[in-house]
């Protein structure tokens, strides 16, 4: 990874930490207090041993010091416990903020952008990669300050007693962070490669899991299993690379810390036997001084060792942050939303002038288009596959950016409050999506405050009550993800009931009967015919034989509006005539 990129990512991570400054300062403060208590603990322990060994003091006379030692140890334990709590809260608050940034960005970009990548990639981004930042905020950032404060406390305490020992501490201390940095240079790259491998595997696995039935039908299950095995092997190698660097870093830090403590111990050993006679300001080195400094010696390096241990958390966070920052800064045209209220929401009228529908990356998907849909008018939108029908619907829903003019009741869509605009839309798609929950939950998705009487009424109108009443738990029957446990026809009838309950003044129908059998299709069409009566309606349809009852037909081809008029007027020429002829020929062949 480029050093400048790594520096920018580190800066971005530290900027996020400002959101939990209170928890961060509490964590650092508890670490500082623990350092002060450490000095007191070492002093009490050294004094007790000095009194017992050198002064032959009776143990009963040292009871107060023993009690003091126990109290100090208990307070240090409480500080450690407090650090864990405050550190976790710090990381939690920042993770929630980062996750919200991602979700807000996904919300602004809309489903058209989200569908451009496998669901597993988004799951990895929102879940695993955000979670991997916890230790950076909870442990590494506080430890950076503690690794400076605690050694300074110890140096200030040791230098007045023995300048030689203080000098050893001062000279050897930089060795730990220097070698930590040298070993950790490749850690961020290793973590970045690990996250990329995890994203690929997550997306690959989730997509194959969704299409498992298709893979088995085409006898591709074993081949895809081999591909998954290859992807998991790459992830395993990347993970082991990260662990190898983490263990190497820890081993190096332990080695240099042990060497530094050993130098201090050797100095005092030779000083006690009279071989070294410096560092003591002219006062003979006592057992208290030697024990006090030797007890503090490993503790002097411990914060630096802990920082080295948590250094892999920094590398992990940088590796995770790369994809997150890249996504947050991705160049994409977002649908701008205003705060203007929709005038007269009980009736809807649309006017498009030179409308160009754009992809999130700015590519023209359809247009320029100019058309109008008048209040209470029922309009059909037809065209061959890839003509731009879905793109136009996504623009109307506010999920794709556009150029030109698209006015709803005289107000530009970009200026409208999109949440209010969508409340005015009753939408039924060709692939009904039911969420995990009960049938009641799914019907009331767009109107949670609806009464039971109203719910039963729309279920009856959508012919959904026919099968709901036969279920053992009725409206409390559990529905799995992606309509699990129900047929496509049953799920579509629930989707129609849901749209009816929302009672929007603009009905948007995207081939609502495309996947249904003849009986389900008739029931859904009958219920929709009653629901859209007197409402502004735009329906994408593949059933050209049913268009004669529609007020007007819009025909799209290659993103352009090629025909516009009543079915009887335009069905004898142009693209619509060709589509009808093709449909008739296909029916004859069948």
């Amino acid at each position: 990874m480029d050093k400048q990129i790594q520096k920018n990512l580190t800066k971005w991570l530290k900027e996020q930490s400002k959101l939990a400054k209170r928890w961060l300062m509490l964590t650092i403060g508890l670490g500082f207090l623990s350092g002060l208590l450490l000095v007191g603990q070492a002093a009490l322990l050294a004094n007790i041993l000095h009194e017992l060994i050198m002064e032959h003091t009776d143990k009963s006379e040292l009871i107060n010091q023993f009690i003091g030692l126990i109290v100090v140890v208990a307070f240090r334990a409480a500080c450690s416990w407090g650090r864990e709590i405050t550190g976790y809260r710090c990381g939690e608050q920042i993770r929630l903020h980062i996750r919200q940034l991602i979700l807000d960005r996904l919300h602004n970009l809309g489903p058209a952008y989200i569908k451009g990548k496998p669901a597993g990639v988004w799951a990895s981004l929102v879940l695993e990669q955000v979670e991997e930042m916890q230790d950076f905020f909870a442990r590494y950032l506080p430890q950076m300050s503690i690794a400076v404060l605690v050694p300074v406390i110890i140096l200030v305490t040791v230098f007045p007693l023995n300048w030689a020992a203080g000098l050893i501490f001062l000279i050897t201390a930089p060795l730990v962070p220097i070698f930590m940095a040298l070993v950790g240079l490749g850690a961020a790259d290793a973590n970045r490669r690990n996250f990329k491998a995890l994203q690929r595997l997550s997306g690959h696995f989730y997509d194959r899991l969704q299409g498992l039935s298709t893979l088995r039908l085409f006898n591709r299950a074993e081949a895809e299993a081999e591909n998954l095995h290859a992807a998991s092997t790459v992830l395993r190698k990347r993970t082991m690379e990260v662990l190898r660097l983490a263990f190497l870093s820890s081993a190096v830090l332990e080695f240099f810390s042990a060497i530094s403590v050993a130098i201090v111990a050797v100095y005092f050993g030779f000083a006690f036997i009279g071989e070294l006679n410096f560092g003591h300001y002219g006062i003979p080195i006592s057992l208290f001084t030697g024990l006090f400094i030797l007890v503090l010696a490993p503790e002097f390096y411990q914060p630096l060792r802990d920082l080295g241990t948590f250094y892999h958390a920094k590398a992990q966070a940088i590796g995770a942050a790369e994809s997150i920052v890249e996504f947050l800064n991705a160049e994409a045209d977002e649908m701008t939303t205003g705060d203007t209220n929709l005038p007269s929401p009980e009736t809807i009228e649309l006017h498009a002038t030179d409308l160009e529908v754009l992809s999130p990356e700015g590519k023209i998907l359809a247009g320029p288009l100019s058309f109008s849909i008048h209040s209470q008018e029922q309009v059909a939108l037809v065209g061959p596959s890839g003509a731009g029908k879905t793109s136009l619907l996504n623009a109307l829903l506010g999920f794709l950016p556009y150029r030109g003019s698209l006015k709803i009741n005289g107000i530009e869509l970009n200026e409208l409050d999109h949440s209010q605009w969508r409340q005015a839309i009753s939408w039924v798609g060709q692939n009904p999506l039911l969420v995990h929950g009960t049938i009641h939950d799914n019907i009331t998705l767009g109107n949670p405050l609806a009464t039971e009487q109203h719910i039963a009424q729309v279920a009856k109108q959508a012919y959904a009550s026919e099968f709901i009443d036969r279920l053992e738990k009725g409206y409390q029957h559990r529905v799995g993800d992606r309509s699990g446990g129900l047929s496509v026809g049953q799920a579509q009838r629930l989707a129609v009931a849901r749209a009816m309950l929302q009672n929007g003044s603009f009905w948007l129908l995207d081939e609502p009967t495309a996947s249904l059998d003849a009986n389900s299709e008739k029931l859904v069409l009958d219920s929709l015919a009653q629901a859209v009566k007197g409402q502004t309606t735009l329906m994408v349809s593949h059933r050209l034989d049913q268009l004669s009852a529609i007020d007007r037909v819009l025909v799209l081809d290659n993103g352009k509006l090629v025909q516009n008029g009543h079915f009887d007027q335009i069905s004898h020429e142009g693209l619509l005539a060709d589509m009808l002829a093709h449909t008739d020929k296909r029916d004859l062949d069948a």
Side-chain angles (χ1 to χ4, degrees):
M1 183 186 295
D2 184 81
K3 288 184 179 179
Q4 186 59 42
I5 295 176
Q6 191 167 336
K7 184 179 178 181
N8 292 338
L9 291 174
T10 304
K11 182 181 178 182
W12 181 84
L13 287 168
K14 289 182 178 179
E15 285 175 355
Q16 307 312 306
S17 68
K18 295 176 183 177
L19 299 166
K21 190 175 181 179
R22 181 171 62 111
W23 291 113
L24 187 61
M25 296 307 295
L26 275 173
T27 307
I28 295 170
L30 288 170
F32 180 74
L33 180 59
S34 180
L36 293 175
L37 292 171
L38 169 65
V39 175
Q41 176 184 321
L44 284 169
L45 184 60
N47 188 61
I48 289 171
L49 292 173
H50 178 81
E51 292 291 333
L52 290 174
I53 296 171
M54 303 302 295
E55 304 297 334
H56 303 289
T57 305
D58 189 80
K59 297 181 182 66
S60 60
E61 297 180 17
L62 300 174
I63 290 177
N64 289 336
Q65 295 191 43
F66 277 112
I67 293 173
L69 182 61
I70 292 171
V71 170
V72 169
V73 170
F75 270 108
R76 282 198 70 203
C79 286
S80 297
W81 175 79
R83 276 181 61 190
E84 288 295 320
I85 298 297
T86 55
Y88 176 80
R89 294 300 179 195
C90 174
E92 179 186 44
Q93 189 171 339
I94 298 169
R95 283 186 293 113
L96 287 173
H97 171 71
I98 294 174
R99 189 170 281 124
Q100 192 60 52
L101 287 178
I102 297 172
L103 293 176
D104 289 344
R105 175 71 167 161
L106 285 171
H107 180 266
N108 290 334
L109 291 173
Y113 182 89
I114 295 171
K115 288 180 180 179
K117 291 184 180 180
V121 171
W122 301 122
S124 175
L125 191 72
V126 175
L127 299 176
E128 286 98 338
Q129 292 187 229
V130 175
E131 289 298 320
E132 291 295 344
M133 296 181 176
Q134 171 67 21
D135 281 350
F136 176 81
F137 298 112
R139 298 178 183 275
Y140 179 78
L141 276 186
Q143 193 62 36
M144 284 183 68
S145 298
I146 294 169
V148 174
L149 293 173
V150 173
V152 168
I153 294 171
I154 294 175
L155 283 175
V156 170
T157 306
V158 168
F159 261 110
L161 295 175
N162 191 286
W163 62 263
L167 196 61
I168 293 172
F169 286 160
L170 196 60
I171 293 173
T172 56
L175 291 175
V176 176
I178 287 172
F179 282 94
M180 176 183 72
L182 290 175
V183 173
L185 282 176
D189 276 337
N191 277 281
R192 179 179 58 82
R193 290 192 294 270
N194 188 47
F195 282 123
K196 292 291 185 185
L198 179 61
Q199 278 190 344
R200 284 194 295 270
L201 180 60
S202 297
H204 193 82
F205 176 73
Y206 187 79
D207 287 348
R208 274 29 178 202
L209 194 63
Q210 284 184 304
L212 187 58
S213 56
T214 304
L215 292 173
R216 295 190 67 179
L217 285 171
F218 285 90
N219 199 28
R220 293 292 300 171
E222 291 185 7
E224 288 302 325
E226 291 179 4
N227 291 335
L228 283 172
H229 181 266
S232 63
T233 300
V234 172
L235 177 62
R236 177 177 57 80
K237 290 180 178 179
R238 298 282 185 265
T239 304
M240 294 308 296
E241 184 182 357
V242 172
L243 290 174
R244 184 168 63 249
L245 284 169
F247 286 130
L248 178 60
S249 176
S250 297
V252 169
L253 296 180
E254 290 292 337
F255 173 76
F256 282 102
S257 298
I259 290 294
S260 303
V261 173
I263 292 172
V264 176
V266 168
Y267 162 73
F268 278 108
F270 278 101
F272 279 129
I273 64 175
E275 294 297 327
L276 296 176
N277 190 27
F278 61 88
H280 47 69
Y281 301 107
I283 302 172
I285 296 175
S286 65
L287 181 62
F288 169 81
T289 303
L291 287 174
F292 178 61
I293 295 176
L294 281 173
V295 169
L296 288 177
E299 300 295 340
F300 176 83
Y301 299 103
Q302 188 60 46
L304 295 169
R305 289 159 62 190
D306 288 342
L307 182 63
T309 302
F310 300 145
Y311 187 79
H312 76 279
K314 176 189 176 183
Q316 210 168 27
I318 289 175
E322 185 186 30
S323 296
I324 293 174
V325 173
E326 183 180 333
F327 166 67
L328 293 176
N329 296 334
E331 291 187 6
D333 289 332
E334 300 179 28
M335 271 300 299
T336 55
T337 177
D339 54 5
T340 305
N341 291 328
L342 178 67
S344 304
E346 64 279 358
T347 57
I348 298 297
E349 195 168 283
L350 286 84
H351 294 282
T353 306
D354 296 327
L355 173 67
E356 289 183 336
V357 182
L358 309 176
S359 72
E361 293 77 23
K363 180 183 176 182
I364 297 177
L365 300 176
L369 304 170
S370 296
F371 63 90
S372 296
I373 301 177
H374 303 294
S375 175
Q376 301 183 0
E377 186 180 23
Q378 296 184 10
V379 177
L381 183 65
V382 300
S385 180
K389 303 186 296 294
T390 301
S391 298
L392 178 58
L393 293 190
N394 278 324
L396 290 172
L397 289 165
F399 293 147
L400 280 178
Y402 69 86
R403 287 198 296 258
S405 176
L406 178 57
K407 292 184 177 181
I408 315 295
N409 289 358
I411 305 297
E412 197 66 43
L413 178 57
N414 285 343
E415 300 173 6
L416 283 175
D417 180 350
H418 282 185
S419 59
Q420 189 196 21
W421 161 234
R422 288 171 189 145
Q423 281 298 316
I425 300 173
S426 285
W427 177 81
V428 181
Q430 56 182 304
N431 297 310
L433 179 61
L434 302 185
V435 297
H436 184 79
T438 64
I439 286 178
H440 181 278
D441 295 335
N442 277 279
I443 293 178
T444 59
L445 189 64
N447 188 1
L449 302 178
T451 63
E452 298 301 320
Q453 183 180 358
H454 196 186
I455 295 169
Q457 180 184 346
V458 297
K460 184 177 181 180
Q461 290 174 341
Y463 299 98
S465 58
E466 290 185 359
F467 70 88
I468 295 175
D469 293 339
R470 295 197 301 268
L471 298 172
E472 182 180 350
K473 295 184 179 179
Y475 287 89
Q476 298 306 313
H477 178 81
R478 304 293 296 184
V479 179
D481 290 328
R482 299 184 176 274
S483 312
L486 297 177
S487 70
V488 177
Q490 290 171 336
Q492 192 67 302
R493 278 182 268 174
L494 289 181
V496 172
R498 180 166 61 194
M500 287 179 173
L501 193 64
Q502 186 166 347
N503 195 28
S505 50
F506 178 50
W507 280 74
L508 200 55
L509 310 175
D510 184 9
E511 301 195 42
T513 62
S515 305
L516 303 183
D517 58 70
N519 181 55
S520 296
E521 181 181 28
K522 182 180 183 305
L523 293 175
V524 169
L525 286 175
D526 288 345
S527 60
L528 285 174
Q530 294 298 319
V532 303
K533 190 173 293 183
Q535 303 287 1
T536 308
T537 306
L538 178 62
M539 178 176 69
V540 176
S541 178
H542 66 288
R543 294 297 302 268
L544 303 181
D545 56 333
Q546 299 173 351
L547 297 182
S548 57
I550 298 293
D551 295 331
R552 196 151 45 89
V553 179
L554 302 177
V555 184
L556 287 184
D557 187 27
N558 292 324
K560 301 291 192 298
L561 184 62
V562 294
Q563 289 180 284
N564 182 356
H566 190 273
F567 178 78
D568 292 337
Q569 296 174 335
I570 64 174
S571 59
H572 304 297
E573 58 183 5
L575 179 61
L576 183 58
D578 294 340
M579 293 173 65
L580 284 167
H582 180 73
T583 302
D584 292 341
K585 183 177 182 300
R586 187 174 58 192
D587 292 342
L588 287 173
D589 291 342

